[in-house]
Amino acid sequence: MNFLEERIQKDGIVKEGNVLKVDSFLNHQMDIDLFNMMGEEFKKRFEGKNINKILTIEASGIGIACIVAQHFNVPVVFAKKSKSINLEGEMYVAEVESFTHKCKNQVIVSKKYLDEDSHVLIIDDFLANGCALQGLIGIVQAAGGTVEGIGIAVEKGFQAGGKMIRNLGYQLESLAIVDSMDPQTGKIEFRQR
Ligand code: 5GP
């Protein structure tokens, strides 16, 4: 088990509805030493890639993305969740269905911060069905930029997102892949790699 798998095993809580709670170190209280180790690991895994920007999504991706960005020495842009609809023009817009809140959000990024010279590493905390990633990829594409890679803390391997994103040909690196989890026993199994 790697450092993140060990921490999930120790402090993660399995909830009904395929939700893994990691509020004590990732999603609410944040363990910055752990984020630093994640940054170091992503830096290794994306070695040689020309990355000049990190893109994430509000809210829980922001903390991780900021610490990861220190290892790449690049700025972070986060897609904002917005209720407004009349933003076309100055904004790239994508529709994202929230896995945890079961609602649709528009996410927006100002055209000022992404363009055809953007070589983007997308970072997020979780990958479930891949809706958030699809939205972020769509935004980079709309800007004419390049997705150089995708770094995820926790992929739930029993949901469809990982397979879908890898089939699209992206380098997707998930630091922990949960293959099964049981809310009754609390047992979490990780993919052997
Ligand atoms: P997707 O769009 O891939 O279905 O879901 C990814 C998003 O939903 C992530 O940005 C994350 O915030 C949230 N999410 C999905 N599954 C979980 C989960 O099991 N636990 C937590 N804490 N967040 C999740």
Side-chain angles (χ1 to χ4, degrees):
M1 271 199 281
N2 71 22
F3 64 94
L4 183 60
E5 293 167 335
E6 273 171 14
R7 189 60 180 271
I8 294 167
Q9 195 71 269
K10 183 168 157 275
D11 292 329
I13 298 166
V14 184
K15 296 278 185 190
E16 295 289 345
N18 287 333
V19 172
L20 178 61
K21 279 282 220 190
V22 286
D23 278 8
S24 65
F25 60 98
L26 204 97
N27 273 159
H28 193 21
Q29 174 168 263
M30 297 184 278
D31 181 335
I32 302 305
D33 288 339
L34 185 85
F35 286 13
N36 245 316
M37 289 163 81
M38 288 165 50
E40 225 171 77
E41 183 63 26
F42 283 135
K43 181 72 180 157
K44 270 190 228 149
R45 295 196 190 194
F46 294 106
E47 191 73 66
K49 291 265 174 155
N50 167 26
I51 290 162
N52 60 17
K53 200 151 286 200
I54 286 179
L55 177 66
T56 188
I57 184 165
E58 198 176 37
S60 48
I62 297 174
I64 299 170
C66 289
I67 302 297
V68 171
Q70 292 191 305
H71 294 261
F72 288 84
N73 289 308
V74 298
V76 176
V77 176
F78 65 92
K80 293 188 178 208
K81 289 177 182 157
S82 164
K83 297 269 175 278
S84 356
I85 27 171
N86 204 4
L87 292 157
E88 302 258 7
E90 323 101 68
M91 302 282 178
Y92 302 112
V93 184
E95 183 123 312
V96 170
E97 187 165 343
S98 163
F99 177 80
T100 36
H101 301 112
K102 309 283 175 226
C103 63
K104 282 194 176 172
N105 274 305
Q106 284 198 322
V107 298
I108 57 170
V109 172
S110 165
K111 289 189 175 174
K112 278 189 266 182
Y113 305 125
L114 277 181
D115 60 24
E116 62 279 4
D117 297 322
S118 299
H119 291 267
V120 179
L121 173 61
I122 297 176
I123 293 286
D124 204 4
D125 59 341
F126 270 89
L127 171 56
N129 292 322
C131 200
L133 283 186
Q134 272 183 309
L136 294 176
I137 291 168
I139 283 175
V140 177
Q141 285 171 341
T146 310
V147 176
E148 294 288 346
I150 300 166
I152 297 290
V154 190
E155 174 180 337
K156 290 183 291 177
F158 52 89
Q159 291 181 281
K163 194 167 182 195
M164 185 259 296
I165 297 292
R166 289 188 181 91
N167 282 342
L168 292 171
Y170 293 106
Q171 183 185 349
L172 167 62
E173 299 287 346
S174 301
L175 301 183
I177 303 182
V178 174
D179 263 343
S180 69
M181 52 188 210
D182 186 334
Q184 256 73 50
T185 61
K187 191 163 187 268
I188 301 170
E189 279 179 333
F190 296 101
R191 189 165 303 173
Q192 303 290 328
R193 287 174 284 170

